[in-house]
Amino acid sequence: MATRDSWHPSAKHTPAKVDAYELLGLESRQATDAEIKKAYRKSALRWHPDKNPDDQANAEAMFKAVSEAYEVLSDPDKRSVYDAMGWAGLEGAGGGG
């Protein structure tokens, strides 16, 4: 579980496929749409590159990761796939035929 300090902008992070719920600071996989949206706004503001001029590269990477996590969790279809299979389920999407 992430602590408040571990998500501070001064902490170095690699956004490489961290759990989407954890990335947004959500404690429960049963989070409502409103909770997800609120968590996204808070995380997006925290990691916005303009808010982190001293570490813009890291902030940009985290901002993109936060946006991707919100994109997945805010879409009911993507969220159900993610809940069942994680990022791997979404990366394999697009199907074969």
Side-chain angles (χ1 to χ4, degrees), residues 16 28 36 80 91:
S28 171
I36 292 170
S80 65
E91 290 169 355

Side-chain angles (χ1 to χ4, degrees), residues 19-76:
D19 179 70
Y21 292 93
E22 186 177 331
L23 193 57
L24 293 180
L26 295 165
E27 295 182 15
S28 171
R29 289 187 172 269
Q30 285 74 40
T32 65
D33 290 340
E35 291 170 329
I36 292 170
K37 188 173 191 175
K38 182 178 179 181
Y40 165 70
R41 287 181 174 174
K42 184 176 179 180
S43 295
L45 185 60
R46 176 185 301 144
W47 290 109
H48 196 282
D50 291 345
K51 295 279 186 178
N52 297 282
D54 296 335
D55 191 13
Q56 247 183 334
N58 186 49
E60 186 175 321
M62 288 301 295
F63 184 77
K64 287 179 181 178
V66 164
S67 297
E68 183 181 16
Y70 178 69
E71 180 183 333
V72 169
L73 298 181
S74 64
D75 181 305

